[in-house]
Amino acid sequence: MYLEKTELLEVSETKALNLILDDYYLAYLSRQLSLLGRREVHNGRAHFGIFGDGKELTQIAYARTFRKGDWRSGYYRDQTFMLYLGLLQPEEFFAMIYGDTDFNYNPSTGGRNFNNHFSTRNINEQGEIKDLMELYNSASDISPTAGQMPRLLGLAQASKIVRENPELKKSLNNNVDGNEVAFGSIGDASTSEGMFFETINAAGVMEIPMAVAVYDDGYGISVPKELQTTKGSISEILKGFRKEKNTNGINILTAKGWDYPQLIKTFEKGITDCRKTQTPVVFHINEITQPLGHSTSGSHERYKSKERLQWEKDFDCLVKFKQWIIESGKADEATLKKIENRAAKRARDARDLAWKHYTESYSEETENLQKIILQLKSNKLKPTDYTDDFDAVKNKLFPTRRALYSFAKRLKFELHSISELNEERNQLINWLERFESRTTKFYNCQLYREGPDSTLNVEAVPVQVDADAPLVNGCEVLSHNFDVLFEKYPNLVTFGEDTGFMGDVNQGMKGMQEKYGVHRVSDTGIRETTIIGQGIGLALRGFRPIAEIQYLDYLMYALPTLSDDLASMQFRSMGKQAAPLIVRTRGHQLQGIWHAGSPMQMILGAMRGIFLCVPRNMTQAAGFYNTLLEGNDPALVIEPLKGYNVKEQLPSNIGEYKIPLGVPEIMNEGSDVTLVTYAWNVHHAEKAAQLLMELKNISVEVIDVQTLLPFDVNHRIVESIKKTNKVIFVDEDVPGGASAYMLQKVMEEQKAFNYLDTAPVTLPAVEHRPGYGIDGEYFTKPSVERIFEAVYAMMRETNTKKYPPLY
């Protein structure tokens, strides 16, 4: 039997009222979490906290439009947004603050990241992406200002690609439907960053379903927005990006952060249009307050006027929301008070439970250590009392694993060589080993994939070259190989400056766009950091992207996104999130300061978590692409600039052969000196080795490391040094760069120092960047002649009679 119209209206009104009261409960709960979290830091039970106070209503209205299959790339004040979606529980909120390492209790960070840094799983332990359309999805948060923006492009672009090419759904395991929206959030002050503008511009050009909420509370820590933003308004200065009839661009909507009905209406309108038309939208939310200040490390009373502070009290979104509920007759004071009490109790209970769980997380280790302490005290031969010291550690206000471990370590030092306490000392050593093994899992693993989808598990497939194989330019080896890969992997896409129509500046992608379509092989603007962001977002959603940075020197424009986001994603999410992006670039030797750089020191220092492949030619480069697409790790492949027009034999198993990562190749066997290098310097090394043999009968073993990350996983180099007792490391980086890195790896990790007859030598480039032209490069970087002289000098050190001075 159908309900009468009046009955339907009553049901609808009841449902709407319940929704409003639920929103009030959630907003109040979130505020209580912020208040208690701040108190936990100030009373010494937590180290640091940053919260979403003042933004509760905005985030509720924003989250209400979020659907399963959508993606979030937000920032560290989105706690109410996550609470609304059920992606954050109050207990986890406090577990984050305490740094609880229990992955089940603290699934977003596992104790590896600040509080309010959220993530959801996009990949299972076998490395399969599936069922994302059944979930609310969140990219793993990072702290750097505006760093969450670049990946929004790829998260949104995935929907656009699939909407326009629905046949791709199957190859993505139906994880992208085409109607999803990528939700971003950012503080108003952070819109001053270049990443924000680069992302907004790219989104307007690409016309993708990307939404960004800008929370405007008037300040960037202590600096008012008038000193941050032209005209003091981000929506004003973005008007040039506004979409108009027959143009691309973005929609811009504004609302007040304390006006609940306006926020609901504004977000509903903006997201509905974004989802339907795939037009990006920016929500500028004004008049937001920040009741607790920027974070627990500062007080906003120091920089806000009394008038501003009073305004923030009057226009606190919870105060205004409560006023609106009462004045509109939706609930009375008593009803709301009950809701407030319920929310406050929920927050307190969550805090207490989280603290109990955290403090008991290593109670067994504490008890076992205490037994050793008591045994020391009762030792008949040499009673030693450490109970007071141990109690001081155990009863600290903010207990830490560090304090317990440090105490045990120092105790081991004190017990050293006391024969009467050997038994207790051995027990202590065993305790330390078990404790360290457990903490290693908490803090020192998952930099790269560790399961069956690890790229290190990809088995080598030798390259096959027929006797009558045609000689082709190196760029043709690449293009033939990419042709096979695009056919083999329907979810493979690539993009970059000149990558599409031209087939890249060196023709490695020649013909790919024409054959596979603009949606798979495309051009971008000159915007390196968001090119990487596109790749991260697409990879998170199941695509296999190759993002091209035109030259290695321009990698610096993308370094923050590579270092802060891509390189640490696997680690900071403890393996629950992976973005197997391949970054393709070219570098090393060419001409001039910005086209011949080899900033390997920068890459090695900033990009741990990304594999680094340094092929000597295009056959090797192609083999790395074949390998990387079989695993789930991100990687950087640096193609040697001089190799595109050098003739190579075209392999018969193009697209199928695979080069294992971390396995050096011996290019020239020798017995006198081991010469370790990579990339184009391999060619110089081989020529020098040939010259040394011809002129001086010196036998040089030339080793191409092939990858710097990982580096010689089987320790092949030390086996060579055992034979030659001498080693030289050659590379194009500045002194102290990649050559020093290789030296450390071989000397310390492989213990090669024990087999040397003379000191190891590094032969890098000079300290400055290369000058222009062939001569500028020659007098800056290692050359055949410099390598010849370095090897000869090393031989002379061991036998001055046999090897007189060259001059």
Side-chain angles (χ1 to χ4, degrees):
M1 181 176 179
Y2 293 103
L3 291 173
E4 295 293 337
K5 185 175 182 181
T6 54
E7 292 175 315
L8 282 169
L9 183 61
E10 288 174 2
V11 171
S12 178
E13 288 178 348
T14 300
K15 184 178 179 181
L17 175 59
N18 289 337
L19 189 59
I20 291 168
L21 296 182
D22 287 345
D23 286 350
Y24 185 75
Y25 169 80
L26 191 70
Y28 198 87
L29 171 63
S30 184
R31 180 65 61 84
Q32 291 300 302
L33 295 177
S34 297
L35 289 165
L36 291 177
R38 183 179 179 86
R39 196 173 301 160
E40 289 299 276
V41 174
H42 287 167
N43 68 18
R45 296 213 308 187
H47 182 66
F48 177 79
I50 195 161
F51 310 109
D53 48 293
K55 299 162 182 65
E56 293 91 352
L57 285 196
T58 298
Q59 292 179 16
I60 286 172
Y62 198 24
R64 187 179 286 190
T65 64
F66 200 90
R67 294 181 184 173
K68 289 184 177 179
D70 288 345
W71 276 82
R72 167 193 167 273
S73 179
Y75 86 135
Y76 43 71
R77 300 196 187 278
D78 284 348
Q79 69 196 50
T80 314
F81 188 101
M82 301 299 281
L83 283 166
Y84 186 95
L85 297 175
L87 298 178
L88 171 68
Q89 296 300 319
E91 289 78 12
E92 183 189 354
F93 175 89
F94 289 105
M96 284 183 171
I97 298 172
Y98 300 141
D100 198 324
T101 54
D102 188 329
F103 200 54
N104 295 315
Y105 221 71
N106 185 5
S108 280
T109 74
R112 295 187 175 189
N113 216 340
F114 274 171
N115 74 298
N116 275 356
H117 286 61
F118 307 106
S119 67
T120 58
R121 181 177 289 281
N122 82 316
I123 196 165
N124 63 22
E125 293 180 357
Q126 285 69 46
E128 301 165 332
I129 294 183
K130 58 181 182 180
D131 302 329
L132 298 182
M133 287 301 300
E134 302 300 319
L135 303 170
Y136 298 126
N137 304 290
S138 175
S140 178
D141 289 339
I142 58 176
S143 294
T145 303
Q148 72 273 26
M149 292 296 296
R151 63 183 177 221
L152 269 171
L153 289 175
L155 291 171
Q157 186 187 12
S159 298
K160 182 182 181 71
I161 292 174
V162 171
R163 178 180 284 193
E164 295 179 350
N165 304 275
E167 70 277 5
L168 289 175
K169 288 182 183 181
K170 184 177 180 181
S171 63
L172 295 165
N173 293 328
N174 296 312
N175 278 307
V176 184
D177 184 66
N179 296 311
E180 308 80 32
V181 173
F183 285 62
S185 60
I186 190 169
D188 181 67
S190 298
T191 63
S192 300
E193 292 279 6
M195 286 183 183
F196 175 81
F197 283 95
E198 189 173 318
T199 302
I200 294 298
N201 178 58
V205 171
M206 297 165 68
E207 294 188 286
I208 51 178
M210 184 187 92
V212 180
V214 180
Y215 307 147
D216 188 350
D217 57 27
Y219 291 83
I221 306 183
S222 66
V223 180
K225 64 181 181 180
E226 289 75 19
L227 299 179
Q228 303 261 11
T229 309
T230 302
K231 300 181 181 180
S233 171
I234 189 62
S235 55
E236 283 294 313
I237 62 174
L238 287 180
K239 283 184 176 178
F241 290 94
R242 191 187 296 275
K243 182 175 176 61
E244 298 172 349
K245 189 175 181 179
N246 298 323
T247 71
N248 55 15
I250 64 174
N251 290 326
I252 304 171
L253 300 175
T254 62
K256 292 178 170 56
W258 50 265
D259 190 334
Y260 178 78
Q262 185 189 38
L263 286 167
I264 297 294
K265 181 180 178 181
T266 301
F267 280 114
E268 180 63 34
K269 179 181 184 302
I271 296 298
T272 298
D273 184 68
C274 180
R275 199 179 296 279
K276 180 180 179 180
T277 68
Q278 297 203 324
T279 301
V281 58
V282 171
F283 301 96
H284 183 196
I285 310 303
N286 289 290
E287 298 188 16
I288 286 180
T289 65
Q290 195 162 268
L292 304 182
H294 174 263
S295 70
T296 55
S297 61
S299 171
H300 63 159
E301 288 84 1
R302 291 184 298 164
Y303 54 85
K304 291 179 181 176
S305 67
K306 291 182 179 179
E307 293 76 16
R308 173 70 189 192
L309 290 170
Q310 185 58 51
W311 180 89
E312 291 199 4
K313 289 181 180 179
D314 296 339
F315 283 83
D316 186 312
C317 66
L318 293 191
V319 172
K320 300 295 283 186
F321 191 20
K322 186 173 184 177
Q323 287 176 356
W324 177 79
I325 292 173
I326 294 173
E327 290 172 1
S328 61
K330 293 177 172 36
D332 56 19
E333 179 80 38
T335 300
L336 296 183
K337 187 64 178 176
K338 289 180 181 178
I339 292 174
E340 292 170 3
N341 290 338
R342 181 161 57 93
K345 183 179 186 302
R346 177 75 177 91
R348 290 193 303 271
D349 290 347
R351 175 200 59 191
D352 296 342
L353 184 60
W355 178 252
K356 184 176 186 293
H357 184 272
Y358 170 72
T359 54
E360 293 180 355
S361 61
Y362 49 96
S363 57
E364 184 179 349
E365 289 97 328
T366 305
E367 291 171 5
N368 289 336
L369 182 57
Q370 187 169 21
K371 291 177 183 177
I372 297 172
I373 301 300
L374 293 174
Q375 189 172 333
L376 284 167
K377 185 178 179 179
S378 61
N379 184 287
K380 294 180 179 179
L381 297 176
K382 192 175 181 62
T384 311
D385 191 358
Y386 289 98
T387 54
D388 289 343
D389 295 336
F390 179 73
D391 287 342
V393 172
K394 187 175 67 171
N395 297 324
K396 288 181 68 174
L397 181 63
F398 182 27
T400 61
R401 284 187 174 84
R402 182 188 69 177
L404 198 66
Y405 185 71
S406 178
F407 171 81
K409 274 272 190 177
R410 295 187 185 191
L411 183 58
K412 185 187 76 168
F413 301 155
E414 292 187 30
L415 301 183
H416 186 251
S417 299
I418 302 177
S419 59
E420 297 88 343
L421 302 176
N422 274 347
E423 182 181 345
E424 290 84 353
R425 184 173 182 272
N426 289 335
Q427 291 178 13
L428 184 62
I429 290 172
N430 291 333
W431 183 94
L432 285 165
E433 289 176 350
R434 292 193 302 271
F435 194 90
E436 186 172 357
S437 175
R438 190 178 181 205
T439 54
T440 295
K441 294 177 182 177
F442 295 146
Y443 302 113
N444 306 117
C445 64
Q446 293 287 3
L447 182 60
Y448 302 95
R449 298 299 296 171
E450 296 182 358
D453 61 323
S454 168
T455 314
L456 298 182
N457 293 331
V458 177
E459 294 186 9
V461 176
V463 60
Q464 297 175 7
V465 180
D466 296 338
D468 58 347
L471 279 172
V472 299
N473 287 339
C475 63
E476 295 181 66
V477 174
L478 283 175
S479 62
H480 282 290
N481 197 77
F482 282 132
D483 190 13
V484 175
L485 295 181
F486 276 105
E487 189 70 39
K488 183 177 180 180
Y489 300 99
N491 58 341
L492 176 63
V493 295
T494 188
F495 42 87
E497 301 157 15
D498 302 307
T499 301
F501 181 76
M502 278 185 57
D504 81 50
V505 291
N506 295 101
Q507 300 293 280
M509 286 285 173
K510 184 179 180 181
M512 296 303 106
Q513 186 182 83
E514 183 178 2
K515 184 171 183 179
Y516 295 101
V518 175
H519 64 290
R520 296 188 65 191
V521 185
S522 57
D523 291 312
T524 70
I526 300 176
R527 47 175 182 81
E528 283 78 11
T529 200
T530 46
I531 289 173
I532 300 301
Q534 273 181 253
I536 294 172
L538 285 166
L540 282 169
R541 298 196 66 184
F543 281 89
R544 292 309 304 259
I546 298 176
E548 183 185 331
I549 302 297
Q550 197 164 90
Y551 292 105
L552 179 58
D553 297 275
Y554 302 152
L555 199 72
M556 283 182 275
Y557 286 91
L559 189 61
T561 301
L562 286 164
S563 179
D564 295 329
D565 198 355
L566 183 62
S568 70
M569 183 177 291
Q570 165 78 17
F571 173 80
R572 70 180 186 266
S573 68
M574 295 187 73
K576 67 188 282 188
Q577 203 160 88
L581 166 64
I582 299 172
V583 181
R584 178 185 176 225
T585 189
R586 51 195 63 84
H588 305 313
Q589 299 186 11
L590 190 63
Q591 292 187 13
I593 293 177
W594 289 286
H595 292 83
S598 295
M600 310 308 286
Q601 181 186 51
M602 174 191 76
I603 295 169
L604 290 166
M607 290 170 51
R608 300 297 172 98
I610 299 174
F611 287 138
L612 177 55
C613 304
V614 281
R616 64 183 178 269
N617 58 33
M618 301 311 161
T619 300
Q620 299 296 102
F624 283 132
Y625 293 123
N626 300 341
T627 301
L628 293 167
L629 285 168
E630 293 289 315
N632 265 329
D633 292 282
L636 171 65
V637 180
I638 305 172
E639 298 167 8
L641 269 165
K642 286 189 175 180
Y644 293 110
N645 295 318
V646 173
K647 299 294 183 181
E648 299 180 34
Q649 286 185 299
L650 185 66
S652 58
N653 59 340
I654 196 77
E656 299 298 332
Y657 65 92
K658 300 175 182 68
I659 300 174
L661 305 188
V663 180
E665 183 176 354
I666 297 176
M667 306 302 299
N668 186 77
E669 292 191 1
S671 56
D672 290 326
V673 176
T674 298
L675 197 156
V676 182
T677 189
Y678 61 88
W680 198 254
N681 274 316
V682 172
H683 301 280
H684 292 331
E686 288 183 296
K687 291 176 182 177
Q690 182 180 357
L691 196 61
L692 282 159
M693 176 56 72
E694 290 176 359
L695 299 181
K696 299 297 180 182
N697 198 34
I698 295 174
S699 175
V700 179
E701 184 142 294
V702 177
I703 298 179
D704 177 7
V705 301
Q706 301 201 93
T707 64
L708 288 169
L709 294 171
F711 182 87
D712 191 6
V713 294
N714 298 319
H715 292 186
R716 288 189 176 184
I717 294 172
V718 71
E719 295 305 316
S720 173
I721 294 172
K722 287 178 182 178
K723 176 174 56 175
T724 65
N725 308 118
K726 305 173 195 68
V727 64
I728 296 177
F729 300 94
V730 180
D731 86 304
E732 301 176 41
D733 199 4
V734 296
S739 56
Y741 163 81
M742 293 189 289
L743 175 74
Q744 184 269 335
K745 284 285 186 180
V746 174
M747 291 298 107
E748 290 187 23
E749 292 188 15
Q750 300 187 18
K751 311 298 182 185
F753 185 79
N754 297 324
Y755 307 102
L756 293 180
D757 289 341
T758 187
V761 169
T762 62
L763 184 62
V766 297
E767 291 186 333
H768 58 73
R769 294 193 185 187
Y772 174 70
I774 295 173
D775 290 341
E777 175 190 281
Y778 179 84
F779 290 103
T780 303
K781 297 192 173 190
S783 61
V784 173
E785 291 76 23
R786 283 185 64 195
I787 294 172
F788 184 102
E789 291 171 339
V791 171
Y792 187 86
M794 180 169 279
M795 294 298 294
R796 176 169 160 71
E797 280 191 23
T798 59
N799 193 332
T800 55
K801 290 184 179 179
K802 185 174 181 180
Y803 303 103
L806 284 175
Y807 51 85

